[in-house]
Amino acid sequence: MRWNGPMPSTTPPSPPPQEVVAFDGVGVMREESVLLLEAGGSAAAGEVLAVTGPNGSGKTTLLRVLAGLLAPTAGRVRVAGRRPDDRDPVFREALAALIGPVQTARDLTVLEHLQFVGATWGSDAGTARARGRSLLEELRILPLADRFPHELSSGQSQLVSVALALARPGAVLVLDEPEQRLDPDRLELVIGALRARAEAGTAIVLASHSPRLVGQLADRRLALEEPW
Amino acid sequence: MSASLAPVREVWAQRSRARSGGDLLYLVYVAAMTLMVVGLPVLSWAGTMLARPDVLAILLSAQAAPAAAALSLAGAACLVGLGAVRGPALLPPFFTATLVGGPLPRRVVLRRPFARALLLPLLAAVLPAALVAATLIAAGRTEAGAAALLVLAGTGLGMLWGCAWSAGQLLRTPVRRAVILLLGLGAGIAAVPPLRAAAAGETVLEGARSWTGPGAAWASGLAAAGAAGLAACTLLLDRLRGSELAAQAARWEAATASAMTTDLAGAAGTYRALPTTGRHLAAIGSGPPTLLYARRDAVAWLRTPDRCAGGALGVLLGAAALGGAALLSGPQAWAALLIGTLVLRAGAGAFVDGIRHGVQTLGAPTLLGQRAGTQLLLHAIAPLLLLAALGALGGLLVLLAGGGSDAGALLLPLSTAAVVLLARAWEAAKGTMPLALATPIPTPQGDLSVLVMLAWQADTVVVPLLGAAVLLLVLPSGPAAALLAAAALLGVLGLLTRRRLQELRA
C-alpha cells in the first residue's frame, strides 16, 4: 500500500489545513478473504484525494467504509470528525456519495429528482428547482430535465447520478469511478464540476481508473495494491 | 420460397431433452386420470358442501344472472388489459426473434402457444360453472341436461374471455382503453339494477335468468360466439406487431426467471407500468416533509394513469366486497372477505411505489434528508388517505345499495385497507429469501423444502387475509373492539416492518 501524500507545490508553505477525511490502517476482512489491506490517507477541505489501483485492490471497499456502508475490521476512520455511521444524522449531512447505481424513483423526472433531493434537505421548492436546473446546465444535460430514468442512455444515467450526488449538501464528496461510461467531453464537464466543488471547500475522495481525471483533480493520491 | 414450420419442429424434436410422442401420450393419460380420479370427486364433494340453503338462495335469486353477467364483463375488461402486457400468443425471446421475425405467417408460428394459453381463461370460466352445476345437482335443483348446458355456457364464456385477452394484445392503446371502458360500463350496468332497467338489460338477461335451466339457445349461442371469435383471433395473429411481441417476450422471460428463483416481488416488478405521461405536473412542492412526500406520491400516481385507475377500481371493488362481508354471514361472508381482501391488496399495489423506493435506498449512500424508516412513514401518508377514502366509499356504496345502516360495512373495509397498506410496507421490506429455507427436507414423498419456500412467498398474501379475518370475527363485538383489533394488527405489522428494515440495514 503506498500513500504518496500531498502533491509537490511551488507556493510557499501554509499552515496545514484541517483534515476533513482521515483514515489510517484501514483493513476489511470477510472470513478468510482480505478485501482491503491497511489503507491510510486524508483530505482536507478543498482537497481531492484520488484512490487508484487495479481491479480488486479495494478502492470501492475503502469508499464504502468512508461512506459508513461497511464497517472496517481494522484501523481508524474519521469523516468530518466523526466515525462513519449512517445512523448518525450529523455524519449523513456531512457526506455525499456516489458509490454504485443510484436508486432512482421510476416516477419522477430527472429535474424532479434533483428538486426532491434538495427539498428533503430543507430547501424550498423554488430554490431546489433552480439549483437542480443549474446542476443540469453545469453538466449540459438540461434537455434531459423532463425525462424519466428509464428514458436515459447509460452515459446520461451516469451524468444524472453525478448530478444527484452534487445536489445534496455535504462537506465531503465520495465518488466511485465518476468517469464511467462518459465520453471525453462529458468527462471534462464532470472534472470541471468537481474542481468547482473542491474550490468551494468540499473535500473529495474519488476512486478512478482515468489518468486524465486523476491528473487534473488530485491533490493527494493513494495507490492501492491487490491484497494478495 | 415457401417456408414451413415442419423442419423447425423436426430440429426441435431432435434435442436430447425433447418430449417424445410417448411422453405426450403419457401426459394426456395423467391429465385424464387426474380429472377422473381427483377432479370429478372433488367437484362433487364441493357441490355437496355448498348445497346449503344460504348458498342456494343466492344462486337461485333473481340477482344471480345479472351478477354473473357483470363478473363476466369485468373479467373480459381485465383480460383486455392483461393482453397489453402479456398476450396469449407469445413465444420465448429466441423463437420470437427467429420464428416470428422469419418468413412464416405469424398465425402459423403462434397458433400453438395461443391455443395453450387459452386453457387458462377456459378453465377459469368452466370450473366455476361446473361448481355451480354440481351444487345445483347436489341440491336437486337441476337436472344433468341443464347442468351440461351450464358447463357449455361456461365453455363459451371461457372462449370469449380468450378473445378478449387476444384483443388486448392486438389493439392499439387508445382503442384498447375504449374497449376496457365499454366492458367496464357494461359490467356496471349489469350490476346496478336501476341502470340495468334503463339500458333494457333485463330483457337481454331474461333468457339466462334461472340457473336451473339456462336457455339452450343462450348456452349454444355463447359457445358458438366463442368459437367464431377464437377462429377470427387466430387469423388476426398475423396482425401482431413484432416489436410488441419481442417486448412482451423479454418481459415474460425476465419475470419467469425471477419467479423461478423465488423472487416473486421481482417478477411482479417486471410488469409494473413505467410512467409515460404527466411529466409536467409539479410533483415537488414546498412545505414540511409530510406534504412534500404526499404530493410527490400523489402526482407520481397520475403518471401511470391506467395503472392508477385500475388500482383505484380494485381498491373500491375490494372495499365494497368487504362491506358486503360485514353484512353477510356464513360461507358467503368468508367468500366476500377473501375476494375483497385479495382485490383490495392487488389494487393497493399501484399506490406504494414510494414505499418501495424508500426501502431501496437502504444500503446506498445517503441521498435524501430522511432515513429509510422515516421515508416509509412519509410515503405511507398519501396511500393511506386514498385507501381510507376509497375504503369508506366502497362500504358506503354497499350500505346505500343494501339500505342498511350497519357501521361494520364501513369499519371493515376501512380497517382492512389500513392493514393491507402496512402489510404492503412489510412486504416491500422483505428482502431476498434466506438460503436456509432452501435446505432440502427429504421425505418419502420428496423434498418438502418447496413447501417452506412457498410459505415464505405466500406470507404477503396470507397476512392481510388473516388480518381481515380477525377483523371480521371481532366485528360483532362492536365498533370499539374492531378499532382496537385494527390498532393491534397495525402495531404488530409496524413492529414487523421495523424489524425487517433493521435486518436489511444490517
Side-chain angles (χ1 to χ4, degrees), chain A residues 38-122:
Chain A
E38 290 188 8
S42 67
E47 279 188 339
V48 177
L49 169 64
V51 184
T52 59
N55 291 335
S57 57
K59 298 188 296 298
T60 303
T61 302
L62 174 61
L63 298 192
R64 288 178 64 79
V65 168
L66 296 180
L69 302 172
L70 190 66
T73 41
R76 180 179 177 278
V77 185
R78 287 291 180 273
V79 173
R82 306 177 84 89
R83 189 185 337 180
D85 181 351
D86 103 298
R87 291 168 299 183
D88 175 1
V90 177
F91 170 77
R92 286 207 306 274
E93 193 160 354
L95 184 128
L98 171 60
I99 304 170
V102 174
Q103 292 296 342
T104 51
R106 55 202 279 139
D107 43 22
L108 292 184
T109 63
V110 167
L111 179 56
E112 284 171 352
H113 271 88
L114 298 170
Q115 202 183 349
F116 188 61
V117 169
T120 63
W121 289 100

Side-chain angles (χ1 to χ4, degrees), chain A residues 64 67 69 86-88 92 95-99 101-109 112-113 115-117 119-121 123-126 128 146-151 164-165 168, chain B residues 269 271-287 292-293 296-297 299-301 303 307 353-354 357 360-361 363-371 379 505:
Chain A
R64 288 178 64 79
L69 302 172
D86 103 298
R87 291 168 299 183
D88 175 1
R92 286 207 306 274
L95 184 128
L98 171 60
I99 304 170
V102 174
Q103 292 296 342
T104 51
R106 55 202 279 139
D107 43 22
L108 292 184
T109 63
E112 284 171 352
H113 271 88
Q115 202 183 349
F116 188 61
V117 169
T120 63
W121 289 100
S123 297
D124 66 79
D146 291 332
R147 289 207 194 167
F148 291 114
H150 68 274
E151 295 169 338
L164 280 167
R168 49 147 296 170
Chain B
Y271 280 96
R272 213 164 283 143
L274 288 167
T276 51
T277 186
R279 66 185 77 221
H280 294 299
L281 296 170
I284 315 299
S286 295
L292 176 72
Y293 277 76
R296 169 244 179 278
D297 285 334
V299 172
W301 299 336
R303 290 176 170 170
R307 180 170 175 241
D353 279 356
H357 180 243
Q360 283 165 2
T361 60
T366 304
L367 183 62
L368 304 178
Q370 291 76 31
R371 298 188 72 198
H379 276 304
R505 193 175 287 125

Side-chain angles (χ1 to χ4, degrees), chain B residues 133-436:
Chain B
T135 306
L136 293 174
I137 287 175
R141 304 302 291 263
T142 193
E143 293 164 359
L149 281 178
L150 194 55
V151 176
L152 180 67
T155 310
L157 174 64
M159 289 193 282
L160 286 173
W161 273 355
C163 296
W165 192 12
S166 182
Q169 194 177 18
L170 279 159
L171 295 173
R172 287 282 196 187
T173 307
V175 186
R176 189 189 308 121
R177 277 184 186 152
V179 171
I180 292 173
L181 202 65
L182 279 175
L183 288 168
L185 203 65
I189 289 173
V192 183
L195 290 177
R196 199 162 63 235
E202 297 288 354
T203 316
V204 177
L205 289 166
E206 196 60 40
R209 179 159 302 287
S210 171
W211 294 115
T212 49
W218 255 97
S220 344
L222 269 177
L230 283 187
C233 286
T234 309
L235 289 175
L236 286 170
L237 292 179
D238 279 340
R239 304 287 304 155
L240 285 169
R241 293 168 194 85
S243 56
E244 184 60 31
L245 285 170
Q248 286 201 4
R251 214 180 308 160
W252 179 246
E253 186 163 88
T256 45
S258 297
M260 292 294 279
T261 56
T262 71
D263 181 12
L264 292 188
T270 313
Y271 280 96
R272 213 164 283 143
L274 288 167
T276 51
T277 186
R279 66 185 77 221
H280 294 299
L281 296 170
I284 315 299
S286 295
T290 45
L291 206 59
L292 176 72
Y293 277 76
R295 177 176 173 164
R296 169 244 179 278
D297 285 334
V299 172
W301 299 336
L302 301 177
R303 290 176 170 170
T304 47
D306 292 352
R307 180 170 175 241
C308 179
L313 190 65
V315 173
L316 188 66
L317 292 178
L322 285 165
L327 300 178
L328 295 167
S329 61
Q332 305 154 46
W334 289 106
L337 184 92
L338 177 78
I339 294 168
T341 309
L342 289 178
V343 174
L344 196 152
R345 181 191 168 277
F351 305 109
V352 292
D353 279 356
I355 290 176
R356 293 189 185 107
H357 180 243
V359 174
Q360 283 165 2
T361 60
L362 271 171
T366 304
L367 183 62
L368 304 178
Q370 291 76 31
R371 298 188 72 198
T374 315
Q375 286 179 46
L376 247 66
L377 284 175
L378 293 167
H379 276 304
I381 294 169
L384 184 65
L385 290 175
L386 181 75
L387 262 58
L390 290 171
L393 185 62
L396 202 62
L397 286 175
V398 169
L399 281 180
L400 288 175
S405 60
D406 190 341
L410 274 178
L411 262 179
L412 186 61
L414 259 174
S415 47
T416 306
V419 168
V420 162
L421 179 66
L422 218 57
R424 279 287 191 177
W426 179 63
E427 177 188 342
K430 191 167 187 175
T432 51
M433 189 184 77
L435 273 178

